[in-house]
Amino acid sequence: MWYVVGLVMVSVAVLVLGVWFVRREIRDEISPAALLWTGYAVVAAFVVFGVLRTSWVVLS
Amino acid sequence: MRTRADLLGWIGLAGRLYLGFVFLSAGLAKLPEPAITEQAVRGYQLLPWQLAPAYAIAMPIAEVVLGVLLILGLFTRTAAVATALGLCSFIVGITSAWARGLNIDCGCFGGGGASADPAYLADTLRDLGWLAIAVYLIVVRRTKLALDNLLFRRAAAPVDSYSESSKNTELGSST
């Protein structure tokens, strides 16, 4: 149970840091905003799927 | 004249080459033995049983591709993001096996499956170290002797043209 709690907390922190990172890249005009947010969405989907799958396996 | 950006670039080159060779060697070690890799993947009991063969083939190929991209410095930041995600998945796999009380070898460089003496702590700390290098490569933007510097010279803004706030937040320094 505590493993899942920790995993969710770390994942949320990673996703929040990702938003900060994407906003910084957009502000500095490193890449187009649409491309960066699309990349973020792909990464976020991977993270959320991984967390859900791992949590389900660990708790079951 | 050496600048801070030069120093960060050379550190990035060292990290890129190190991480690249790690991934390349890990992929090449697993590539000729898909059956053993499949056994290692199944040992984690995380993926659906039917997905293990495809994952056992795709993962080493992805590791080789990422390793080559990092060594060449081609699409470095994208490769570093993919590398970081891969390392996160490895860390979750290892720590979840640890939390569930499984006794398996990580199979990171071939082998894998049941093990009487798993090294979860060492494997996790090692992967965290590699993850730190990948994150550095994402944040640092430019590394030395990278193909990116030749191919995308116009696309990437030089460090000197960054905004003041950007300079201050580069690598989380100052502010």
Side-chain angles (χ1 to χ4, degrees):
Chain A
M1 178 63 187
W2 286 111
Y3 177 80
V4 173
V5 172
L7 180 64
V8 170
M9 288 174 69
V10 170
S11 302
V12 169
V14 167
L15 292 176
V16 171
L17 275 175
V19 171
W20 168 81
F21 175 77
V22 168
R23 288 168 64 101
R24 192 189 74 148
E25 296 290 291
I26 293 170
R27 183 196 63 201
D28 292 343
E29 297 176 356
I30 301 298
S31 296
L35 180 68
L36 285 164
W37 284 120
T38 303
Y40 178 80
V42 172
V43 170
F46 181 85
V47 170
V48 170
F49 172 77
V51 169
L52 290 176
R53 174 71 191 172
T54 308
S55 301
W56 186 75
V57 169
V58 169
L59 293 175
S60 61
Chain B
M1 192 176 87
R2 295 203 182 277
T3 63
R4 182 168 170 269
D6 279 334
L7 179 63
L8 296 178
W10 287 115
I11 295 171
L13 171 65
R16 227 182 63 214
L17 292 178
Y18 174 64
L19 202 56
F21 279 111
V22 165
F23 264 64
L24 189 60
S25 58
L28 289 177
K30 283 180 281 205
L31 208 52
E33 301 173 326
I36 295 174
T37 307
E38 187 181 324
Q39 187 184 11
V41 171
R42 289 208 165 114
Y44 286 93
Q45 301 173 26
L46 269 178
L47 285 178
W49 196 258
Q50 302 88 338
L51 274 183
Y55 186 80
I57 293 171
M59 181 180 54
I61 292 173
E63 285 177 334
V64 168
V65 170
L66 289 174
V68 169
L69 289 177
L70 287 173
I71 290 167
L72 294 177
L74 185 61
F75 305 116
T76 306
R77 301 182 83 199
T78 308
V81 168
T83 303
L85 283 178
L87 285 166
C88 285
S89 70
F90 298 155
I91 291 168
V92 168
I94 291 167
T95 53
S96 72
W98 194 1
R100 285 174 287 158
L102 303 178
N103 287 319
I104 57 169
D105 180 81
C106 83
C108 307
F109 292 88
S115 168
D117 187 25
Y120 294 130
L121 182 61
D123 290 339
T124 304
L125 292 177
R126 180 201 60 197
D127 282 1
L128 283 173
W130 290 340
L131 179 62
I133 296 173
V135 169
Y136 177 84
L137 292 175
I138 296 168
V139 175
V140 78
R141 290 185 178 159
R142 278 197 169 197
T143 59
K144 292 290 180 185
L145 304 180
L147 277 182
D148 285 341
N149 298 340
L150 288 175
L151 298 175
F152 310 113
R153 192 171 288 175
R154 285 183 183 177
V159 172
D160 290 344
S161 70
Y162 287 176
S163 65
E164 273 309 310
S165 59
S166 164
K167 285 179 187 172
N168 290 338
T169 56
E170 186 78 9
L171 284 176
S173 63
S174 297
T175 51

